């Protein structure tokens, strides 16, 4: 634990640099774009509309588990985008900032942590859209929404941890960079983003699946906070997901710190 406490103490001491890098990333994200932050609204809305069309006009599905299909899909997409954007940003953070890493010393974790600013910014814009969607559908907003920061934190722990693992090895083994978009592309469909975990829970492999893929428990728990009367079939897989989040996060920190000294050699 001394290793982790030392690292986080260094990050707190360099919080001004963390803020500067985070602000820079957000500015670059929407610089020279006509629509600016409106893109943070367009992306999740378009994704929802595509699946709404597929479900209502192709599969002839009008609701999911008795809840408005729009809320189920949009809530899933909201958290998936937070995971995918954070995972990709952290995985590429050192390579994207190689000029800083090779010139001056500071805790390299600051670069990884600052890279999640854009993901969080987009998430909060999308969350406002979700609230507007609830109002337009005349759907009650659950008081459980006050616990949503807990889910966001857990999801960030998993995303950052997984990103740090890929970041640590991809600097030397660039082939790993090719896996990242594949994980994002196929992970969307093997996670309960546009469907619910209830349809999978009867499977014998579900327990192992929930542990390997923490998004199962996190997204489903988030839906219980966002959608009134949405009930979890079981808390067991949520606990599995939470356990997995912490394991992945601390493993990612450990591997990153062990590999950190060799980064400059491969940049």
């Amino acid at each position: 634990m001394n290793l982790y406490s030392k690292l986080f103490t260094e990050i707190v001491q360099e919080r001004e640099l963390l803020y500067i890098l985070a602000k820079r990333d957000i500015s670059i994200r929407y610089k020279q774009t006509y629509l600016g932050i409106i893109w943070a609204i367009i992306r999740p809305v378009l994704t929802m509309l595509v699946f709404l069309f597929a479900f209502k006009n192709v599969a002839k599905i009008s609701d999911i588990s008795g809840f408005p299909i729009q809320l189920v899909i949009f809530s899933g997409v909201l958290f998936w985008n937070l995971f995918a954007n954070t995972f990709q940003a952290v995985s590429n953070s050192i390579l994207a900032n190689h000029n800083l890493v090779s010139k001056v010393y500071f805790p390299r974790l600051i670069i990884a942590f600052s890279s999640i600013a854009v993901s969080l910014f987009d998430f909060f814009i999308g969350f406002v859209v979700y609230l507007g969607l609830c109002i337009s559908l005349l759907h009650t907003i659950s008081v459980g929404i006050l616990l949503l920061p807990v889910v966001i934190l857990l999801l960030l722990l998993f995303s950052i941890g997984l990103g740090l693992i890929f970041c640590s090895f991809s600097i030397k083994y660039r082939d790993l960079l090719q896996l990242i978009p594949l994980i994002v592309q196929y992970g969307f469909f093997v996670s309960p983003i546009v469907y619910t975990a209830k349809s999978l829970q009867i499977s014998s492999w579900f327990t192992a699946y929930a542990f390997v893929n923490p998004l199962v428990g996190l997204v489903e728990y988030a839906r219980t906070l966002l959608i009134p009367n949405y009930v979890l079939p079981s808390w067991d897989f949520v606990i599995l997901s939470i356990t997995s989040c912490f394991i992945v996060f601390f493993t990612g920190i450990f591997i990153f710190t062990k590999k950190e000294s060799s980064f400059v050699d491969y940049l």
Side-chain angles (χ1 to χ4, degrees):
M1 292 302 294
N2 289 335
L3 169 66
Y4 299 110
S5 60
K6 179 183 177 182
L7 288 171
F8 288 113
T9 299
E10 290 179 344
I11 291 173
V12 171
Q13 292 174 344
E14 298 288 346
R15 59 186 177 277
E16 186 175 349
L17 176 59
L18 179 67
Y19 171 76
I20 291 172
L21 292 175
K23 183 179 179 181
R24 180 206 62 178
D25 288 344
I26 294 175
S27 299
I28 292 174
R29 170 79 161 185
Y30 299 109
K31 188 177 182 180
Q32 295 182 331
T33 61
Y34 289 107
L35 297 180
I37 64 172
I38 296 177
W39 282 111
I41 299 173
I42 293 174
R43 283 188 293 269
V45 169
L46 280 181
T47 303
M48 180 191 70
L49 291 176
V50 167
F51 281 99
L52 276 177
F53 174 81
F55 285 174
K56 288 191 172 184
N57 295 282
V58 180
K60 305 298 182 183
I61 299 174
S62 59
D63 60 57
I64 298 179
S65 299
F67 299 98
I69 190 172
Q70 298 93 330
L71 298 184
V72 173
I73 294 176
F74 198 89
S75 59
V77 169
L78 199 60
F79 281 89
W80 172 260
N81 285 345
L82 179 59
F83 159 74
N85 293 337
T86 300
F87 169 54
Q88 292 180 98
V90 174
S91 297
N92 292 290
S93 59
I94 297 298
L95 287 173
N97 293 277
H98 64 275
N99 55 327
L100 290 177
V101 175
S102 59
K103 289 181 179 179
V104 61
Y105 174 77
F106 56 89
R108 307 309 186 204
L109 274 175
I110 286 181
I111 293 179
F113 284 174
S114 67
S115 68
I116 74 173
V118 174
S119 306
L120 279 171
F121 183 80
D122 285 354
F123 175 84
F124 288 120
I125 296 296
F127 179 66
V128 172
V129 176
Y130 175 85
L131 295 179
L133 182 62
C134 285
I135 294 172
S136 67
L137 293 173
L138 302 178
H139 206 273
T140 307
I141 298 175
S142 172
V143 69
I145 206 170
L146 297 175
L147 292 176
L148 204 60
V150 175
V151 184
I152 296 172
L153 176 61
L154 290 169
L155 185 58
L156 287 176
L157 290 181
F158 173 63
S159 309
I160 292 171
L162 190 62
L164 288 175
I165 293 172
F166 272 80
C167 178
S168 301
F169 291 106
S170 62
I171 292 174
K172 181 178 180 181
Y173 306 106
R174 301 296 172 92
D175 287 348
L176 289 175
L177 295 174
Q178 306 303 318
L179 284 176
I180 296 171
L182 294 180
I183 291 173
V184 171
Q185 181 179 358
Y186 299 126
F188 180 90
F189 295 101
V190 300
S191 302
I193 306 303
V194 294
Y195 54 88
T196 67
K198 186 177 181 180
S199 57
L200 302 175
Q201 199 177 16
I202 59 174
S203 304
S204 58
W205 43 262
F206 183 80
T207 299
Y209 166 69
F211 181 75
V212 173
N213 184 3
L215 290 170
V216 177
L218 296 183
V219 172
E220 285 294 277
Y221 179 55
R223 284 179 173 139
T224 66
L225 302 178
L226 291 171
I227 305 174
N229 302 319
Y230 191 96
V231 180
L232 285 172
S234 172
W235 277 94
D236 293 343
F237 68 88
V238 177
I239 295 172
L240 280 175
S241 294
I242 293 173
T243 303
S244 184
C245 287
F246 282 102
I247 291 174
V248 171
F249 177 71
F250 287 111
T251 300
I253 295 286
F254 179 79
I255 293 174
F256 185 89
T257 54
K258 292 299 180 182
K259 294 284 185 180
E260 182 180 358
S261 59
S262 64
F263 287 169
V264 178
D265 299 333
Y266 301 102
L267 291 175

